Amino acid sequence: MSEQTQQHGRSQGRRVVVVGAGMAGVQTAVALREQGFTGTVTLIGAEPHQPYDRPPLSKAVLLGKAEGSAFEVDFDALGIDLRLGREALGVRPGDHELDTEAGPEPYDVLVLATGAEPIRLPGAEGVPGVHLLRTLDDAERLRPVLARQHDIVVVGAGWIGAEFATAAREAGCAVTVVEAADRPLAGALPAEVAAPMTAWYADSGAELRTHARVARVEPGAVLLDDGTRLPAGAVVVGIGARPATAWLADSGIELGDRREIVADDHLRTSAPDVYAVGDCASFPSRRYGERLLVHHWDNALQGPRTVAANIIGEAPAVYDPVPYFWSEQFGRFVQYAGHHPAADTLLWRGDPAGPAWSVCWLRENRLVALLAVGRPRDLAQGRRLIEAAAPMDPNLLTDPARPLKSATVAS
């Protein structure tokens, strides 16, 4: 914490500016008020819409079951100055000013919560019928596409691709998913864990093509590099996301090799009085012994509480969560907690060909990660066991009839 922040730490007469009006930004502003901060809080968002939650975009909003997903936050009652439709252009840490389209915004403390932006498919920009699914406007553009039951090609079999394919099949569309890797979720899960998920596509009536690379996209079709031409009334690109940090290039704020803001274990950046939280920032995890970049909703919910505590300064907090996320796809509820690359052992609970099963990752017989398909109790218990670093009996752990917590052993 800088000398300036320490001097003003308990005066509460400070100006906090939060950039980004998604989950992380909104929750930071709310957490400041909930934790007793009485200074000025300004929340700046690039989109013109009232701040909204993103997970419903690929579900209820996309299918027309909900008109929007605005946060139920009374910003006026909380004394939060909400400024929408203002894109951030840069930061000048030496001047303690944020540059925006509407002019400079002075701050005493700045919180960067600009999230992530989707990776675009090279050569597809400007082609009619090509879509992304990240914003409310994206979902609203796609909703009539589903209603007309177009033939749809989804590029990428990751989490967002699977969720969109699920919604498109529910809407009655013919869906083909093309994936350059040999399996779905190749960048997220080991081959043996992702392999059973391949059958989910066919079970739902969607076609999954692996080892399939897109050569080009043209109006009405996707051409693969093997010469295959796939008819496409619409194309949805879901090939990943990267931190939305290009606007910080000249700020002097340290960025990592994944273009993310490098934060410390208090979520402070390399610049004085500047914090970073959510999808745009990585943080060092003592629990896992490496720097984590977590692009999931729960991280954007939990991190702001740490940022708020550290801004207020009365009880400095270290951020070292057990990462968590969920996905609803093809009639299954998939949940994940932890960070499996740190593991030395993988164990199954249940038959992956069945409707409900889990995978446990251990390191020195302590649970470090868990994937649960249709087994929410495993996830709830597993998350607590990961946090506790409890020793486990691997033989008991693999019995799906036993509660997960019953597999712990005395240390």
Side-chain angles (χ1 to χ4, degrees):
M1 186 177 295
S2 74
E3 182 178 354
Q4 176 186 0
T5 299
Q6 289 175 331
Q7 290 171 347
H8 293 279
R10 291 173 177 79
S11 72
Q12 298 289 294
R14 291 178 293 159
R15 297 165 298 181
V16 176
V17 175
V18 182
V19 189
M23 171 62 80
V26 167
Q27 289 300 321
T28 297
V30 170
L32 282 165
R33 292 302 190 217
E34 288 180 342
Q35 295 182 32
F37 182 78
T38 58
T40 300
V41 178
T42 301
L43 179 61
I44 296 176
E47 293 184 55
H49 308 292
Q50 193 73 4
Y52 59 88
D53 203 6
R54 293 190 189 278
L57 298 184
S58 62
K59 306 171 183 70
V61 174
L62 189 61
L63 291 170
K65 297 177 181 179
E67 287 304 311
S69 57
F71 293 114
E72 294 182 1
V73 175
D74 190 334
F75 295 99
D76 289 337
L78 290 171
I80 297 169
D81 182 8
L82 183 60
R83 302 182 187 180
L84 301 176
R86 297 191 182 188
E87 185 176 355
L89 303 177
V91 179
R92 287 175 284 118
D95 298 326
H96 274 61
E97 284 192 335
L98 169 76
D99 290 320
T100 76
E101 289 180 319
E105 186 72 40
Y107 66 83
D108 292 315
V109 179
L110 180 66
V111 181
L112 305 176
T114 47
E117 56 193 7
I119 298 171
R120 298 177 182 273
L121 184 66
E125 291 188 56
V127 178
V130 177
H131 299 263
L132 300 168
L133 181 53
R134 181 73 182 181
T135 68
L136 180 59
D137 288 340
D138 292 338
E140 290 180 344
R141 281 190 288 266
L142 276 164
R143 190 155 58 181
V145 172
L146 297 195
R148 289 193 294 268
Q149 298 186 334
H150 279 293
D151 290 347
I152 295 177
V153 172
V154 180
V155 182
W159 299 112
I160 192 66
E163 290 183 2
F164 178 81
T166 299
R169 285 299 301 141
E170 185 175 336
C173 300
V175 178
T176 301
V177 181
V178 296
E179 169 57 53
D182 61 351
R183 62 188 187 277
L185 295 168
L189 297 172
E192 61 194 296
V193 177
M197 299 176 178
T198 301
W200 298 358
Y201 287 78
D203 292 346
S204 75
E207 180 182 2
L208 173 64
R209 288 175 173 257
T210 56
H211 299 287
R213 294 186 176 275
V214 175
R216 70 178 185 275
V217 178
E218 58 187 38
V222 172
L223 280 76
L224 304 182
D225 63 359
D226 65 358
T228 302
R229 186 177 188 276
L230 302 174
V235 178
V236 177
V237 179
I239 55 175
R242 60 168 62 97
T245 58
W247 66 285
L248 294 171
D250 298 322
S251 67
I253 294 171
E254 183 184 357
L255 301 181
D257 56 10
R258 294 166 288 184
R259 295 173 47 176
E260 87 283 10
I261 301 164
V262 176
D264 68 8
D265 59 0
H266 290 75
L267 297 181
R268 298 171 298 200
T269 74
S270 61
D273 303 319
V274 180
Y275 292 80
V277 65
D279 291 4
C280 66
S282 65
F283 57 90
S285 171
R286 189 175 306 167
R287 186 191 315 276
Y288 292 108
E290 62 182 283
R291 179 167 287 275
L292 300 183
L293 176 61
V294 180
H295 280 186
H296 293 296
W297 185 91
D298 192 66
N299 180 50
L301 175 67
Q302 303 296 338
R305 298 168 188 168
T306 297
V307 170
N310 289 326
I311 289 173
I312 293 169
E314 294 177 359
V318 169
Y319 191 57
D320 194 8
V322 173
Y324 166 74
F325 71 90
W326 79 96
S327 176
E328 296 177 71
Q329 51 184 267
F330 308 118
R332 293 165 174 84
F333 187 43
V334 183
Q335 296 173 283
Y336 178 95
H339 182 64
H340 67 267
D344 54 37
T345 303
L346 183 154
L347 298 172
W348 293 84
R349 283 171 59 82
D351 181 0
W357 47 273
S358 296
V359 176
C360 298
W361 285 272
L362 305 180
R363 182 179 62 211
E364 297 176 354
N365 285 343
R366 296 176 191 271
L367 193 65
V368 294
L370 181 139
L371 175 80
V373 177
R375 291 181 67 95
R377 183 175 295 180
D378 275 7
L379 190 287
Q381 294 182 9
R383 195 174 182 181
R384 290 193 291 269
L385 292 168
I386 295 169
E387 289 172 347
M392 310 292 293
D393 183 329
N395 294 320
L396 299 179
L397 193 66
T398 55
D399 182 356
R402 300 179 63 100
L404 196 66
K405 61 184 180 183
S406 72
T408 57
V409 296
S411 58

